[in-house]
Amino acid sequence: MVDRDLILSAATRLFHEKGFGRVTTDEIAADAGITKRTLYRYIGSKEALLLAIHEKFLARVAAAVDHDGTPDEQVAGLLRNYVRTVVTNLDEIRVFFEERTHLSPASQARVVELRDRYEAVFRDTLRRGMADGTFREYDVPVATQGALGLVANMYEWYQLEGRLSADEIADMIVELVLRGLPAVAKLLPEHLEAVPPAPPAVAAEAEDEQDWADNPVLCRILDVASELMFEQGYDNMSTRGLAEAAGLTKSALYYYIPNKETVLFQVNLRLARQGVGFAERICADTPDPVEALRKIVVAHCVTVARNMGALRALSYERRFLAPEHRERIRSLRRAYAREFILAVRRAVGLDPSDARIDPAAVAIMGSLNFLHHWYAEGARLSAEKVGEVLFELIWSGLQSSSR
């Protein structure tokens, strides 16, 4: 008897390591210790495997839902159970979010239906809490995504051997969602090590920015590439398709960009430098630390909304970068993270060297980045308004001040 879970585990591991498009059914069968014929008999196609991984993860999330308790107890329970599910299934959740574009439209609709059932429980709990005075009034869909995004994006930064245990992170996220950042600063231990400073080489590659500003054709190529990567993923985007979408011949494209990897690097580089730039400007120009953090949160949301494809490339496709390019982008990401973390420390009144709030700051950045999973151009609320709602949520928390 073939163990179906063994097949799914092998596929999850390989999709996580190499990406869906670079894994063959032969490799999956060999990793699972079965023949290719047996694989097809039990699962079917590679796309069917990917759908099964998505369904399995969502089933685990839904199984942890507890409908009992007061609204604040239920929110705490939902968040704790979600954290537990994520940290014990890190490879699955990465595949869940990063490989979804490879699903057929029908399979994607199935995943969205299952995900919406879980999110509906959270939305209904928020509405119940607002109706009985337990919670402040918030835009429910935005607050739901903001709270769940704190957990969903953990696979990007959580480490099993990290500074906080999974239970401590769950406590932190519950405190953040219910009572806000200032309360979290009192909860977290003081002995945490500070985030290391960004390497000095990150500070200035000014000619790159100048090239973008002075080269509208290059900017159009990068904009089109971002859209194609958002829709298709890096592996499925061809230079021929990119040239056609940008209104260029293939030879003209190569005049500006020598190969596809350079496109990916330039898309990543432009967005990463943009983030570092606005964070530095806001901190320098805004003396009130709470207001500075608010502006950074709003600017982050606006930047994500305007660069959905580029953020996907920055978050999901950077593993396909050449090692030297990947390190450059990693350095810029660390530089932005440091600016964000320092802004959070100042806002809650901590000494700039006090690192106790850093895990919460990292979780908040993850939630803001998660925006590209659910926000759409022309949405009911502008990106600026979404940023305002998310800042109020992370600063004040859900719980009513009367409690």
Side-chain angles (χ1 to χ4, degrees):
M1 182 76 177
V2 173
D3 187 340
R4 187 172 184 270
D5 284 342
L6 185 65
I7 298 173
L8 293 182
S9 295
T12 300
R13 185 166 50 254
L14 290 168
F15 293 159
H16 166 72
E17 291 172 357
K18 301 174 66 174
F20 177 85
R22 302 188 180 198
V23 174
T24 66
T25 50
D26 287 321
E27 290 174 305
I28 296 169
D31 195 274
I34 59 175
T35 65
K36 191 173 178 181
R37 177 178 294 183
T38 301
L39 174 67
Y40 282 125
R41 183 186 311 146
Y42 279 87
I43 299 292
S45 66
K46 195 169 75 164
E47 195 258 347
L49 268 172
L50 185 59
L51 175 60
I53 292 168
H54 280 70
E55 290 176 329
K56 182 180 178 182
F57 177 75
L58 285 168
R60 283 176 170 160
V61 173
V65 170
D66 184 355
H67 296 273
D68 296 329
T70 61
D72 45 359
E73 290 171 344
Q74 191 171 358
V75 163
L78 287 166
L79 291 172
R80 290 184 197 283
N81 288 329
Y82 197 9
V83 169
R84 211 168 289 126
T85 303
V86 167
V87 300
T88 54
N89 300 278
L90 290 171
D91 286 0
E92 275 188 22
I93 192 170
R94 182 177 289 278
V95 171
F96 179 86
F97 285 119
E98 297 189 3
E99 307 295 346
R100 192 181 306 171
T101 55
H102 297 287
L103 291 172
S104 68
S107 295
Q108 289 196 40
R110 168 66 176 162
V111 170
V112 169
E113 176 191 0
L114 294 172
R115 183 202 65 200
D116 285 351
R117 289 181 193 171
Y118 173 76
E119 292 178 357
V121 175
F122 202 94
R123 290 194 297 270
D124 290 345
T125 305
L126 294 192
R127 291 190 180 99
R128 184 160 59 93
M130 291 176 196
D132 71 7
T134 301
F135 297 150
R136 304 167 190 267
E137 289 293 328
Y138 281 101
D139 183 275
V140 169
V142 173
T144 296
Q145 296 295 347
L148 295 180
L150 291 164
V151 183
N153 203 258
M154 279 178 61
Y155 77 92
E156 286 267 27
W157 55 269
Y158 177 74
Q159 297 178 338
L160 292 174
E161 69 280 6
R163 296 181 293 173
L164 294 176
S165 69
D167 286 342
E168 287 174 316
I169 288 174
D171 290 342
M172 175 194 77
I173 289 176
V174 168
E175 190 75 3
L176 178 60
V177 171
L178 291 181
R179 284 173 279 278
L181 259 176
V184 174
K186 301 173 184 176
L187 173 75
L188 292 172
E190 299 181 29
H191 63 271
L192 294 179
E193 297 176 3
V195 171
V202 171
E205 288 287 343
E207 72 259 19
D208 288 316
E209 247 178 56
Q210 191 64 32
D211 284 348
W212 300 320
D214 292 346
N215 197 328
V217 176
L218 178 59
C219 285
R220 184 167 81 250
I221 292 170
L222 299 183
D223 290 342
V224 171
S226 297
E227 292 175 8
L228 292 176
M229 280 188 276
F230 183 73
E231 295 167 0
Q232 304 173 8
Y234 174 76
D235 271 343
N236 290 335
M237 182 189 75
S238 67
T239 51
R240 181 183 297 277
L242 174 57
E244 290 175 357
L248 300 169
T249 65
K250 199 169 179 181
S251 59
L253 176 71
Y254 285 137
Y255 174 80
Y256 293 96
I257 296 289
N259 53 55
K260 196 168 84 164
E261 191 273 341
T262 302
V263 177
L264 180 62
F265 173 59
Q266 286 287 328
V267 167
N268 275 270
L269 183 64
R270 186 173 62 159
L271 181 60
R273 287 195 59 79
Q274 191 176 341
V276 174
F278 76 66
E280 289 176 343
R281 286 192 300 273
I282 289 171
C283 290
D285 297 342
T286 311
D288 183 318
V290 178
E291 178 63 9
L293 180 60
R294 184 194 68 80
K295 288 182 178 180
I296 290 174
V297 168
V298 172
H300 193 124
C301 291
V302 170
T303 301
V304 170
R306 291 176 180 170
N307 299 275
M308 303 284 260
L311 185 66
R312 177 188 171 85
L314 188 62
S315 298
Y316 300 166
E317 314 290 6
R318 65 181 184 274
R319 58 184 158 169
F320 301 124
L321 288 168
E324 67 275 12
H325 287 163
R326 190 162 55 246
E327 182 54 38
R328 173 90 177 280
I329 299 305
R330 186 180 294 119
S331 295
L332 282 164
R333 285 167 64 94
R334 285 200 299 264
Y336 177 74
R338 181 165 176 77
E339 289 295 328
F340 193 99
I341 287 167
L342 288 173
V344 170
R345 291 182 192 173
R346 288 190 290 263
V348 297
L350 295 178
D351 185 272
S353 64
D354 190 334
R356 78 182 77 176
I357 199 70
D358 292 7
V362 172
I364 292 166
M365 280 190 290
S367 179
L368 301 180
N369 286 337
F370 194 70
L371 195 73
H372 83 275
H373 284 285
W374 58 271
Y375 187 78
E377 187 177 355
R380 177 175 53 87
L381 297 182
S382 68
E384 290 89 346
K385 181 59 179 174
V386 168
E388 297 285 0
V389 173
L390 292 179
F391 172 75
E392 185 62 27
L393 175 66
I394 64 175
W395 186 254
S396 301
L398 286 172
Q399 283 191 340
S400 170
S401 57
S402 63
R403 289 180 62 84

